[in-house]
Amino acid sequence: MSDAPILQVDTLSRHFPVRNMLGWKTGAVRALDGVSFEVRSGETLGIVGESGCGKSTLGKALVGIHPPGGGRIVFEGKDITGQSANERRAVAPKLQYCYQDPGNSLDPRWTVRRSLAEPLVVHTALTPSDRNARIAKIMQQVGLPLTHLDLYPHELSGGQQRRVGLARILTLHPRLVVLDEPTSGLDVSVQASVLMLLRELQRAFSLTYLFISHDLSVVRMMCDRVAVMYLGRIVELAPTETLFAAAKHPYSQSLLSAIPDIGGRRVTDTFTLEGEPPDPARPPSGCRFRTRCPRAAPVCAETDPALRPITPAQSAACVFA
Ligand SMILES: Nc1ncnc2c1ncn2[C@@H]1O[C@H](COP(=O)(O)OP(=O)(O)OP(=O)(O)O)[C@@H](O)[C@H]1O
Ligand SMILES: [Mg+2]
């Protein structure tokens, strides 16, 4: 891993319109609301947070699936935010998103072979025989037999579908891959083999990962650093072990207190998280976590705390951190 950032994200936002029964816009869901961070070349940066906090929207905004509403994305030193479709085509293969639900991201009418060939037809000038050679190689690298090339997605297991999803993006030789919940819905033994495969592929292809997951024990095992998101914002960013040992933001502390540590011991027992997150179309004034925060004080309704360094490696967005 190097300290040089491969990706720099500055105050990225993405709002989705809320419409009433007549189709009139009545507000906006602030799925991303001023997100800034850097990803270092070769690292695995975890993104955690409750359902609906904006993790997938962030991943999709970075690779251009949802164009951001505001802010800046700099990839390998180049601002890619307002690129035309043509300019984007040069960057697209290097920046890939692996879908949260691989079954639905594969076309049910296509064989594995066709699903793997299609990105190569779109993004490369390989001849048919070179394409076939590359497809055969990637099948081997993701641990699938060549006989599976003629199967359809519904004929594959969940774990095999993930492997095809990974093969599909790795044939393009990306530099950064957004892995959206790469192990959700898999049983524990398949999860372990997918995680091992991700590690091997990271080494073989010198990949940088943005690792989105609900599963904090998987995040702890896989990630170098972790960003904690709450309601469209990053509220804490720290090296994995620092976060698990000494989270500074009350929300991170609550999230971590919900998972048992090795041996069944709780990581922290200071806080637990109650209730649902507020409506992202109407976040609270000031700090958006204050309505569920055990430390909330009057100042929290007035000040919207920015993510600021607590130590050189750890940042948090809380007036008390
Ligand atoms: N295409 C869309 N149109 C309208 N609203 C959307 C769209 N995509 C996401 N949202 C809203 O944006 C917010 C963030 O959604 P997102 O899918 O990024 O959450 P998430 O953190 O990935 O959740 P999960 O852990 O459940 O996958 C949610 O409130 C969601 O309803
Ligand atoms: Mg998601």
Side-chain angles (χ1 to χ4, degrees), residues 16 29 31 49-58 66 100 181 214 280:
F16 293 108
V29 169
E50 282 163 292
S51 185
C53 70
K55 305 180 296 296
S56 296
T57 306
L58 173 62
H66 287 321
Q100 187 160 356
E181 302 282 358
H214 274 106

Side-chain angles (χ1 to χ4, degrees), residues 33-99:
D33 204 16
V35 169
S36 304
F37 63 103
E38 288 186 354
V39 186
R40 297 170 193 155
S41 188
E43 81 170 331
T44 300
L45 177 66
I47 308 279
V48 302
E50 282 163 292
S51 185
C53 70
K55 305 180 296 296
S56 296
T57 306
L58 173 62
K60 290 177 184 170
L62 295 178
V63 302
I65 297 172
H66 287 321
R72 221 161 68 101
I73 304 168
V74 176
F75 178 65
E76 293 186 324
K78 195 169 173 201
D79 189 339
I80 60 165
T81 327
Q83 280 186 323
S84 67
N86 248 347
E87 289 170 316
R88 190 81 200 191
R89 208 160 293 147
V91 179
K94 296 199 223 173
L95 202 54
Q96 288 287 322
Y97 176 83
C98 199
Y99 277 87

